[in-house]
Amino acid sequence: MILEERLATYINSLDTGNTAFLNRIEQYAAEFDVPVIRKETQQFIKTLLAIKKPRRILEVGTAIGFSALFMAEYNPVCSEIITIENYEKRIPIARENIKEAGREAQITLIEGDAQTILPSLKETFDLIFMDAAKGQYIYFLPELLRLLKEGGILVSDNVLQDGDVIESRFAVTRRNRTIHKRMREYLYEIKHREGLVTSILPLGDGVAVSVKRKEG
Ligand code: SAH
Ligand code: MG
């Protein structure tokens, strides 16, 4: 947790909560160690959806479908959501959750590695939620920017690695060192790339919000 624990608890205590169905999936995720968007991030995404009202959403990293179902539930307009997942054990659970929610027509789960799926997508998106393996964000970026509409929003989750991102590379474990380096490159890139306006928020595990500027 980056945000002071008591502060996060207080902020979360003000929230009016989610549907019982979403609560159930979230509980399952906690029980079986499946990562899902954190409470503070959920509130933030709800607000973003209210501002942007995206019609087409792309998600990289479905896990068991919590965030996709969350966005479907709290987007003020009915959106089409395409979500990508490559972990075989999670895919059937996500499919089951999507089916149970009655959102099979709205949410399309594509199985496979985002690295190969992304280049095959053609239609652009109003909002992209980047929530897959942290070490790969930097490689996905060119494709995500191609797929993002002008004025579209790219939300990147878990960008501060629980605060590790500010440590020296020697202070993080060897296993995390590559992720650390690549995430720093990613943050530098989304902050400096022309045509992108980015804000990095110390929310949840760190969330970056980038807007693709309209030309002219
Ligand atoms: N968005 C979900 C959580 C996603 S966790 C939620 O908040 O509910 C990240 C997921 O990304 C994991 O399930 C992992 O298997 C998947 N993932 C990681 N790298 C991937 C890749 N290259 N292609 C597709 N899925 C990937
Ligand atoms: Mg995440």
Side-chain angles (χ1 to χ4, degrees), residues 129-197:
F129 183 45
M130 173 76 248
D131 195 20
K134 289 176 269 212
Q136 299 179 332
Y137 286 18
I138 187 78
Y139 301 124
F140 295 159
L141 186 63
E143 280 301 309
L144 296 185
L145 293 180
R146 176 182 68 82
L147 289 167
L148 192 60
K149 284 188 185 146
E150 283 186 6
I153 301 176
L154 168 64
V155 180
S156 314
D157 195 24
N158 310 99
V159 295
L160 297 179
Q161 306 174 267
D162 263 326
D164 268 0
V165 81
I166 57 169
E167 303 297 342
S168 141
R169 61 185 291 266
F170 300 106
V172 295
T173 61
R174 188 168 283 277
R175 198 177 72 82
N176 283 331
R177 216 167 272 170
T178 309
I179 295 175
H180 177 265
K181 179 170 171 283
R182 290 185 187 163
M183 189 51 86
R184 281 189 175 206
E185 279 170 22
Y186 181 72
L187 292 178
Y188 184 91
E189 198 54 40
I190 57 177
K191 285 295 291 183
H192 289 82
R193 191 178 279 250
E194 218 171 304
L196 270 193
V197 186

Side-chain angles (χ1 to χ4, degrees), residues 35-37 61 63 66-67 85-87 90 112-114 131-133 136 140:
V36 298
I37 36 170
F66 178 80
S67 52
E85 176 59 53
N86 69 348
Y87 188 18
R90 288 186 180 151
D113 191 331
D131 195 20
Q136 299 179 332
F140 295 159

Side-chain angles (χ1 to χ4, degrees), residues 8-9 12 14 18 74 81 88 120 126 136 147 177 189 200:
T9 307
N12 292 337
L14 294 172
N18 302 327
Y74 295 109
I81 301 178
E88 281 162 26
S120 73
D126 305 291
Q136 299 179 332
L147 289 167
R177 216 167 272 170
E189 198 54 40
I200 301 167

